[in-house]
Amino acid sequence: MPKKKRRLMATLLFIVYFAVLFYFLFFSEKMGRTYSEREYHYNLVPLKEIGRFLTYWESLGMRAVLLNIVGNVAAFVPFGIFLPVFSARCRKIRMTVYYSFELSLLVELLQLITRVGSFDVDDLILNTLGGMIGFLLYLLGRYMFRGDEHEKSS
């Protein structure tokens, strides 16, 4: 596939990813993302909510635990894959981790301000971890596809 078509397809997938991500983070009623006249909810203690989910997983249910912990990681894996595709500057893990943290912080602050969801430092940790995993998957994919390119040229 020509480079221009790959770039266009990656751009379209990135736009779809962002639309789906922001829908689930701010508008999905299934995820409890409706505005209500409630007080601010936030957690500023690292690993507090993760620990709570792991400790009380039987009463909370495995679905809630997976949705919170695995879901927060998985939500940012595509971001970690796409970022180095679009930016040569982000082909270093520290930059992808930095921007994953920045996007996560923006999301958490918007959730706090709009009172949709809650601000949780654990989400920052999990989302950033997801971006890091995505970057590692990007490197793996790049390594695998580079191998194909070398085999085709030999």
mmCIF file of all heavy atoms in Angstrom, residues 82-113:
data_model
loop_
_atom_site.group_PDB
_atom_site.id
_atom_site.type_symbol
_atom_site.label_atom_id
_atom_site.label_comp_id
_atom_site.label_asym_id
_atom_site.label_seq_id
_atom_site.Cartn_x
_atom_site.Cartn_y
_atom_site.Cartn_z
ATOM 1 N N PHE A 82 -0.803 5.424 17.711
ATOM 2 C CA PHE A 82 -0.967 6.458 16.687
ATOM 3 C C PHE A 82 0.034 7.603 16.814
ATOM 4 O O PHE A 82 0.492 8.141 15.810
ATOM 5 C CB PHE A 82 -2.384 7.049 16.727
ATOM 6 C CG PHE A 82 -3.420 6.199 16.077
ATOM 7 C CD1 PHE A 82 -4.481 5.705 16.813
ATOM 8 C CD2 PHE A 82 -3.362 5.919 14.723
ATOM 9 C CE1 PHE A 82 -5.464 4.933 16.217
ATOM 10 C CE2 PHE A 82 -4.334 5.148 14.114
ATOM 11 C CZ PHE A 82 -5.387 4.648 14.854
ATOM 12 N N LEU A 83 0.347 8.002 18.024
ATOM 13 C CA LEU A 83 1.187 9.183 18.230
ATOM 14 C C LEU A 83 2.525 9.112 17.492
ATOM 15 O O LEU A 83 2.874 10.040 16.758
ATOM 16 C CB LEU A 83 1.390 9.406 19.723
ATOM 17 C CG LEU A 83 1.701 10.816 20.164
ATOM 18 C CD1 LEU A 83 0.675 11.811 19.667
ATOM 19 C CD2 LEU A 83 1.786 10.871 21.681
ATOM 20 N N PRO A 84 3.290 8.020 17.624
ATOM 21 C CA PRO A 84 4.552 7.975 16.883
ATOM 22 C C PRO A 84 4.368 7.837 15.370
ATOM 23 O O PRO A 84 5.278 8.156 14.603
ATOM 24 C CB PRO A 84 5.282 6.762 17.470
ATOM 25 C CG PRO A 84 4.264 5.972 18.176
ATOM 26 C CD PRO A 84 3.152 6.894 18.549
ATOM 27 N N VAL A 85 3.214 7.384 14.938
ATOM 28 C CA VAL A 85 2.936 7.311 13.502
ATOM 29 C C VAL A 85 2.853 8.726 12.928
ATOM 30 O O VAL A 85 3.346 8.996 11.832
ATOM 31 C CB VAL A 85 1.619 6.532 13.221
ATOM 32 C CG1 VAL A 85 1.174 6.685 11.776
ATOM 33 C CG2 VAL A 85 1.778 5.066 13.596
ATOM 34 N N PHE A 86 2.246 9.633 13.668
ATOM 35 C CA PHE A 86 2.021 10.991 13.181
ATOM 36 C C PHE A 86 3.135 11.965 13.527
ATOM 37 O O PHE A 86 3.235 13.010 12.909
ATOM 38 C CB PHE A 86 0.702 11.548 13.735
ATOM 39 C CG PHE A 86 -0.494 10.861 13.160
ATOM 40 C CD1 PHE A 86 -1.323 10.116 13.974
ATOM 41 C CD2 PHE A 86 -0.778 10.936 11.818
ATOM 42 C CE1 PHE A 86 -2.422 9.473 13.449
ATOM 43 C CE2 PHE A 86 -1.869 10.295 11.281
ATOM 44 C CZ PHE A 86 -2.693 9.556 12.098
ATOM 45 N N SER A 87 3.950 11.640 14.503
ATOM 46 C CA SER A 87 4.963 12.597 14.940
ATOM 47 C C SER A 87 6.309 11.905 15.146
ATOM 48 O O SER A 87 6.438 11.049 16.024
ATOM 49 C CB SER A 87 4.524 13.259 16.244
ATOM 50 O OG SER A 87 5.560 14.031 16.784
ATOM 51 N N ALA A 88 7.288 12.298 14.345
ATOM 52 C CA ALA A 88 8.633 11.744 14.506
ATOM 53 C C ALA A 88 9.166 12.053 15.902
ATOM 54 O O ALA A 88 9.901 11.266 16.490
ATOM 55 C CB ALA A 88 9.561 12.312 13.441
ATOM 56 N N ARG A 89 8.772 13.184 16.442
ATOM 57 C CA ARG A 89 9.191 13.592 17.785
ATOM 58 C C ARG A 89 8.713 12.591 18.847
ATOM 59 O O ARG A 89 9.346 12.422 19.885
ATOM 60 C CB ARG A 89 8.601 14.976 18.052
ATOM 61 C CG ARG A 89 8.959 15.570 19.348
ATOM 62 C CD ARG A 89 8.357 16.942 19.452
ATOM 63 N NE ARG A 89 8.469 17.411 20.807
ATOM 64 C CZ ARG A 89 7.980 18.524 21.227
ATOM 65 N NH1 ARG A 89 7.345 19.321 20.406
ATOM 66 N NH2 ARG A 89 8.114 18.886 22.475
ATOM 67 N N CYS A 90 7.601 11.937 18.577
ATOM 68 C CA CYS A 90 7.030 10.994 19.549
ATOM 69 C C CYS A 90 7.489 9.563 19.316
ATOM 70 O O CYS A 90 6.888 8.629 19.824
ATOM 71 C CB CYS A 90 5.512 11.082 19.517
ATOM 72 S SG CYS A 90 4.919 12.644 20.153
ATOM 73 N N ARG A 91 8.561 9.392 18.564
ATOM 74 C CA ARG A 91 9.101 8.049 18.360
ATOM 75 C C ARG A 91 10.091 7.676 19.461
ATOM 76 O O ARG A 91 10.829 6.713 19.337
ATOM 77 C CB ARG A 91 9.722 7.935 16.966
ATOM 78 C CG ARG A 91 8.636 8.002 15.915
ATOM 79 C CD ARG A 91 9.099 7.699 14.535
ATOM 80 N NE ARG A 91 7.952 7.915 13.650
ATOM 81 C CZ ARG A 91 8.010 8.565 12.513
ATOM 82 N NH1 ARG A 91 9.170 9.032 12.081
ATOM 83 N NH2 ARG A 91 6.932 8.731 11.784
ATOM 84 N N LYS A 92 10.055 8.451 20.505
ATOM 85 C CA LYS A 92 10.802 8.146 21.723
ATOM 86 C C LYS A 92 9.749 7.909 22.814
ATOM 87 O O LYS A 92 8.784 8.662 22.920
ATOM 88 C CB LYS A 92 11.714 9.305 22.104
ATOM 89 C CG LYS A 92 12.855 9.525 21.135
ATOM 90 C CD LYS A 92 13.710 10.677 21.600
ATOM 91 C CE LYS A 92 14.943 10.896 20.801
ATOM 92 N NZ LYS A 92 14.956 10.707 19.419
ATOM 93 N N ILE A 93 9.948 6.872 23.585
ATOM 94 C CA ILE A 93 8.936 6.470 24.559
ATOM 95 C C ILE A 93 8.597 7.592 25.538
ATOM 96 O O ILE A 93 7.449 7.776 25.908
ATOM 97 C CB ILE A 93 9.324 5.172 25.292
ATOM 98 C CG1 ILE A 93 8.090 4.602 26.019
ATOM 99 C CG2 ILE A 93 10.513 5.383 26.205
ATOM 100 C CD1 ILE A 93 8.230 3.183 26.471
ATOM 101 N N ARG A 94 9.592 8.367 25.945
ATOM 102 C CA ARG A 94 9.312 9.420 26.940
ATOM 103 C C ARG A 94 8.328 10.465 26.404
ATOM 104 O O ARG A 94 7.512 10.977 27.157
ATOM 105 C CB ARG A 94 10.592 10.053 27.452
ATOM 106 C CG ARG A 94 11.388 10.816 26.462
ATOM 107 C CD ARG A 94 12.686 11.348 27.111
ATOM 108 N NE ARG A 94 13.681 11.647 26.127
ATOM 109 C CZ ARG A 94 13.709 12.785 25.416
ATOM 110 N NH1 ARG A 94 12.824 13.720 25.634
ATOM 111 N NH2 ARG A 94 14.638 12.985 24.516
ATOM 112 N N MET A 95 8.390 10.767 25.113
ATOM 113 C CA MET A 95 7.463 11.752 24.553
ATOM 114 C C MET A 95 6.043 11.180 24.467
ATOM 115 O O MET A 95 5.076 11.872 24.770
ATOM 116 C CB MET A 95 7.935 12.223 23.174
ATOM 117 C CG MET A 95 9.236 13.013 23.229
ATOM 118 S SD MET A 95 9.228 14.367 24.434
ATOM 119 C CE MET A 95 8.049 15.479 23.703
ATOM 120 N N THR A 96 5.933 9.922 24.074
ATOM 121 C CA THR A 96 4.611 9.294 24.012
ATOM 122 C C THR A 96 4.017 9.170 25.410
ATOM 123 O O THR A 96 2.831 9.441 25.609
ATOM 124 C CB THR A 96 4.693 7.920 23.320
ATOM 125 O OG1 THR A 96 5.129 8.118 21.972
ATOM 126 C CG2 THR A 96 3.346 7.223 23.308
ATOM 127 N N VAL A 97 4.837 8.808 26.387
ATOM 128 C CA VAL A 97 4.363 8.731 27.776
ATOM 129 C C VAL A 97 3.932 10.120 28.247
ATOM 130 O O VAL A 97 2.873 10.279 28.861
ATOM 131 C CB VAL A 97 5.451 8.128 28.700
ATOM 132 C CG1 VAL A 97 5.105 8.318 30.165
ATOM 133 C CG2 VAL A 97 5.647 6.654 28.389
ATOM 134 N N TYR A 98 4.730 11.121 27.940
ATOM 135 C CA TYR A 98 4.404 12.499 28.326
ATOM 136 C C TYR A 98 3.064 12.944 27.735
ATOM 137 O O TYR A 98 2.199 13.454 28.449
ATOM 138 C CB TYR A 98 5.535 13.438 27.886
ATOM 139 C CG TYR A 98 5.231 14.902 28.085
ATOM 140 C CD1 TYR A 98 5.278 15.472 29.347
ATOM 141 C CD2 TYR A 98 4.879 15.709 27.003
ATOM 142 C CE1 TYR A 98 4.982 16.815 29.533
ATOM 143 C CE2 TYR A 98 4.591 17.050 27.182
ATOM 144 C CZ TYR A 98 4.639 17.602 28.446
ATOM 145 O OH TYR A 98 4.343 18.922 28.630
ATOM 146 N N TYR A 99 2.873 12.731 26.439
ATOM 147 C CA TYR A 99 1.626 13.170 25.805
ATOM 148 C C TYR A 99 0.432 12.314 26.234
ATOM 149 O O TYR A 99 -0.694 12.816 26.306
ATOM 150 C CB TYR A 99 1.765 13.205 24.285
ATOM 151 C CG TYR A 99 2.594 14.383 23.821
ATOM 152 C CD1 TYR A 99 3.778 14.196 23.134
ATOM 153 C CD2 TYR A 99 2.203 15.685 24.110
ATOM 154 C CE1 TYR A 99 4.547 15.281 22.724
ATOM 155 C CE2 TYR A 99 2.964 16.773 23.716
ATOM 156 C CZ TYR A 99 4.132 16.561 23.022
ATOM 157 O OH TYR A 99 4.890 17.632 22.626
ATOM 158 N N SER A 100 0.661 11.058 26.533
ATOM 159 C CA SER A 100 -0.417 10.217 27.068
ATOM 160 C C SER A 100 -0.865 10.756 28.424
ATOM 161 O O SER A 100 -2.065 10.846 28.703
ATOM 162 C CB SER A 100 0.045 8.760 27.211
ATOM 163 O OG SER A 100 0.348 8.206 25.974
ATOM 164 N N PHE A 101 0.098 11.126 29.246
ATOM 165 C CA PHE A 101 -0.215 11.715 30.547
ATOM 166 C C PHE A 101 -0.958 13.042 30.362
ATOM 167 O O PHE A 101 -1.953 13.301 31.042
ATOM 168 C CB PHE A 101 1.062 11.930 31.368
ATOM 169 C CG PHE A 101 0.800 12.609 32.685
ATOM 170 C CD1 PHE A 101 0.338 11.876 33.767
ATOM 171 C CD2 PHE A 101 1.002 13.968 32.840
ATOM 172 C CE1 PHE A 101 0.077 12.502 34.989
ATOM 173 C CE2 PHE A 101 0.742 14.603 34.048
ATOM 174 C CZ PHE A 101 0.284 13.858 35.128
ATOM 175 N N GLU A 102 -0.478 13.869 29.446
ATOM 176 C CA GLU A 102 -1.114 15.173 29.191
ATOM 177 C C GLU A 102 -2.571 15.018 28.750
ATOM 178 O O GLU A 102 -3.454 15.718 29.253
ATOM 179 C CB GLU A 102 -0.344 15.927 28.102
ATOM 180 C CG GLU A 102 1.002 16.413 28.538
ATOM 181 C CD GLU A 102 0.936 17.806 29.104
ATOM 182 O OE1 GLU A 102 0.257 18.666 28.524
ATOM 183 O OE2 GLU A 102 1.574 18.026 30.143
ATOM 184 N N LEU A 103 -2.821 14.115 27.799
ATOM 185 C CA LEU A 103 -4.192 13.900 27.334
ATOM 186 C C LEU A 103 -5.056 13.368 28.470
ATOM 187 O O LEU A 103 -6.189 13.820 28.664
ATOM 188 C CB LEU A 103 -4.229 12.933 26.146
ATOM 189 C CG LEU A 103 -5.628 12.590 25.625
ATOM 190 C CD1 LEU A 103 -6.366 13.837 25.132
ATOM 191 C CD2 LEU A 103 -5.554 11.541 24.531
ATOM 192 N N SER A 104 -4.523 12.436 29.238
ATOM 193 C CA SER A 104 -5.262 11.886 30.371
ATOM 194 C C SER A 104 -5.587 12.968 31.395
ATOM 195 O O SER A 104 -6.706 13.038 31.915
ATOM 196 C CB SER A 104 -4.460 10.762 31.024
ATOM 197 O OG SER A 104 -5.179 10.203 32.093
ATOM 198 N N LEU A 105 -4.624 13.826 31.678
ATOM 199 C CA LEU A 105 -4.847 14.919 32.622
ATOM 200 C C LEU A 105 -5.932 15.867 32.099
ATOM 201 O O LEU A 105 -6.817 16.289 32.859
ATOM 202 C CB LEU A 105 -3.550 15.691 32.870
ATOM 203 C CG LEU A 105 -3.628 16.854 33.859
ATOM 204 C CD1 LEU A 105 -4.071 16.381 35.235
ATOM 205 C CD2 LEU A 105 -2.267 17.557 33.943
ATOM 206 N N LEU A 106 -5.899 16.169 30.823
ATOM 207 C CA LEU A 106 -6.939 17.011 30.215
ATOM 208 C C LEU A 106 -8.319 16.376 30.377
ATOM 209 O O LEU A 106 -9.277 17.036 30.777
ATOM 210 C CB LEU A 106 -6.627 17.250 28.735
ATOM 211 C CG LEU A 106 -7.683 18.022 27.950
ATOM 212 C CD1 LEU A 106 -7.796 19.457 28.452
ATOM 213 C CD2 LEU A 106 -7.353 17.998 26.469
ATOM 214 N N VAL A 107 -8.400 15.085 30.100
ATOM 215 C CA VAL A 107 -9.674 14.363 30.233
ATOM 216 C C VAL A 107 -10.160 14.406 31.679
ATOM 217 O O VAL A 107 -11.333 14.703 31.950
ATOM 218 C CB VAL A 107 -9.525 12.906 29.744
ATOM 219 C CG1 VAL A 107 -10.701 12.047 30.196
ATOM 220 C CG2 VAL A 107 -9.377 12.861 28.234
ATOM 221 N N GLU A 108 -9.275 14.110 32.606
ATOM 222 C CA GLU A 108 -9.656 14.089 34.026
ATOM 223 C C GLU A 108 -10.104 15.474 34.498
ATOM 224 O O GLU A 108 -11.088 15.595 35.244
ATOM 225 C CB GLU A 108 -8.508 13.565 34.888
ATOM 226 C CG GLU A 108 -8.165 12.107 34.649
ATOM 227 C CD GLU A 108 -9.308 11.161 34.949
ATOM 228 O OE1 GLU A 108 -9.967 11.300 35.992
ATOM 229 O OE2 GLU A 108 -9.547 10.260 34.123
ATOM 230 N N LEU A 109 -9.415 16.513 34.080
ATOM 231 C CA LEU A 109 -9.811 17.874 34.461
ATOM 232 C C LEU A 109 -11.160 18.243 33.855
ATOM 233 O O LEU A 109 -12.006 18.857 34.523
ATOM 234 C CB LEU A 109 -8.737 18.882 34.051
ATOM 235 C CG LEU A 109 -7.445 18.827 34.857
ATOM 236 C CD1 LEU A 109 -6.383 19.723 34.227
ATOM 237 C CD2 LEU A 109 -7.684 19.204 36.313
ATOM 238 N N LEU A 110 -11.377 17.865 32.601
ATOM 239 C CA LEU A 110 -12.688 18.130 31.970
ATOM 240 C C LEU A 110 -13.800 17.376 32.694
ATOM 241 O O LEU A 110 -14.899 17.901 32.870
ATOM 242 C CB LEU A 110 -12.659 17.762 30.489
ATOM 243 C CG LEU A 110 -11.912 18.721 29.586
ATOM 244 C CD1 LEU A 110 -11.773 18.137 28.181
ATOM 245 C CD2 LEU A 110 -12.614 20.068 29.525
ATOM 246 N N GLN A 111 -13.520 16.142 33.100
ATOM 247 C CA GLN A 111 -14.519 15.379 33.847
ATOM 248 C C GLN A 111 -14.810 16.049 35.187
ATOM 249 O O GLN A 111 -15.954 16.087 35.630
ATOM 250 C CB GLN A 111 -14.061 13.936 34.061
ATOM 251 C CG GLN A 111 -14.136 13.102 32.812
ATOM 252 C CD GLN A 111 -13.717 11.664 33.053
ATOM 253 O OE1 GLN A 111 -12.956 11.358 33.971
ATOM 254 N NE2 GLN A 111 -14.203 10.776 32.212
ATOM 255 N N LEU A 112 -13.807 16.577 35.827
ATOM 256 C CA LEU A 112 -13.998 17.259 37.106
ATOM 257 C C LEU A 112 -14.832 18.527 36.925
ATOM 258 O O LEU A 112 -15.795 18.762 37.656
ATOM 259 C CB LEU A 112 -12.643 17.608 37.733
ATOM 260 C CG LEU A 112 -12.679 18.314 39.084
ATOM 261 C CD1 LEU A 112 -13.223 17.379 40.157
ATOM 262 C CD2 LEU A 112 -11.295 18.803 39.463
ATOM 263 N N ILE A 113 -14.474 19.316 35.925
ATOM 264 C CA ILE A 113 -15.169 20.585 35.685
ATOM 265 C C ILE A 113 -16.616 20.363 35.263
ATOM 266 O O ILE A 113 -17.524 21.054 35.726
ATOM 267 C CB ILE A 113 -14.416 21.417 34.625
ATOM 268 C CG1 ILE A 113 -13.075 21.890 35.195
ATOM 269 C CG2 ILE A 113 -15.240 22.596 34.141
ATOM 270 C CD1 ILE A 113 -12.113 22.417 34.149
#
